[in-house]
Amino acid sequence: MEDGPKHQGRRRQLAEQLEGKGIHDERVLDAIRKIPRHLFLDSSFEDFAYQDTAFPIAAGQTISQPFTVAFQTQALQLQPTDKVLEIGTGSGYQTAVLCELGVKVFSIERQHELFLFSSSMLKKLNYNYVGKFGDGYQGLPTYAPFDKIIVTAGAKQVPPALLRQLVVGGKMIIPVGVGSQKMLSIVKVSEKDYQVKKLGDFRFVPMLEEKE
Ligand code: SAH
């Protein structure tokens, strides 16, 4: 599949829609205008790729709705020097958005098929990041701590390892709940204290533990 003026036009429209829904971070809107989302989907979805909708990808997973991607990215309040950990690489689209914002990106995916697909697509598009095949509940202790952590699957509870791997002053955006989720913003204010805010209701595929 190619990327052409037809796709670029659709992306501009999508960015406008997201702006109408409350996305105001220009860097996030620029990333939406730039990244060829249709390449992260099966070619049969080419005509729908710029609708503000989630779609099925391999291994029974989904690519998040563009609004959700933009909302979580905006909520992270990224700084150019940030080290960011993403849990649930999936298609790799959210990973590309993070890379476009110029931060250092680490991403974990537990489905091997998706790990391979996202690695090759992100490489083809020249994105630099560290991708790992593994269990996001464990985080990435060897690369910790992280300034920001973004979880893109619904967690039953906040994984303790991820809280440990956040710097003091760092922030995690994570959907928590079974069935549907509350999006939480968690700021680590000291080694032991966290400030938690609810940012709204969302629906994600479940974050699975190694043995599930
Ligand atoms: N950001 C992705 C979202 C994919 S859906 C995108 O927009 O394409 C959530 C992803 O989290 C799925 O790919 C799923 O396989 C992955 N996932 C679920 N549990 C996980 C875990 N414990 N560790 C890492 N990834 C996990």
Side-chain angles (χ1 to χ4, degrees), residues 59-189:
Q61 304 303 319
T62 54
I63 181 171
S64 297
Q65 185 184 341
F67 174 73
T68 304
V69 172
F71 183 89
Q72 287 193 277
T73 311
Q74 176 169 279
L76 283 173
Q77 298 182 303
L78 295 173
Q79 305 299 315
T81 54
D82 280 349
K83 242 171 90 180
V84 182
L85 175 63
E86 175 190 32
I87 308 299
T89 321
S91 65
Y93 179 72
Q94 168 78 72
T95 319
V97 171
L98 295 170
C99 290
E100 281 293 342
L101 270 81
V103 295
K104 180 124 192 57
V105 182
F106 300 79
S107 188
I108 311 176
E109 172 56 51
R110 80 189 286 279
Q111 300 285 353
H112 201 242
E113 192 180 351
L114 287 169
F115 166 73
L116 292 179
F117 172 83
S118 56
S119 305
S120 92
M121 183 50 71
L122 289 164
K123 191 169 176 205
K124 218 178 274 175
L125 296 172
N126 283 319
Y127 288 114
N128 269 315
Y129 75 108
V130 178
K132 295 283 176 195
F133 169 54
D135 177 16
Y137 270 97
Q138 312 306 321
L140 275 184
T142 38
Y143 295 93
F146 299 96
D147 301 293
K148 307 282 163 65
I149 298 179
I150 173 174
V151 179
T152 72
K156 284 180 214 154
Q157 77 269 329
V158 182
L162 298 185
L163 289 174
R164 277 197 300 279
Q165 292 172 29
L166 206 52
V167 295
V168 170
K171 188 192 244 192
M172 170 159 32
I173 302 294
I174 177 170
V176 179
V178 176
S180 81
Q181 292 82 30
K182 298 267 177 229
M183 189 71 78
L184 302 186
S185 158
I186 303 174
V187 174
K188 186 167 179 173
V189 288

Side-chain angles (χ1 to χ4, degrees), residues 190-208:
S190 76
E191 276 304 334
K192 288 202 184 109
D193 300 297
Y194 300 90
Q195 189 187 69
V196 182
K197 275 192 209 151
K198 288 190 183 130
L199 304 182
D201 295 307
F202 288 81
R203 193 171 278 274
F204 284 82
V205 292
M207 180 172 175
L208 300 176

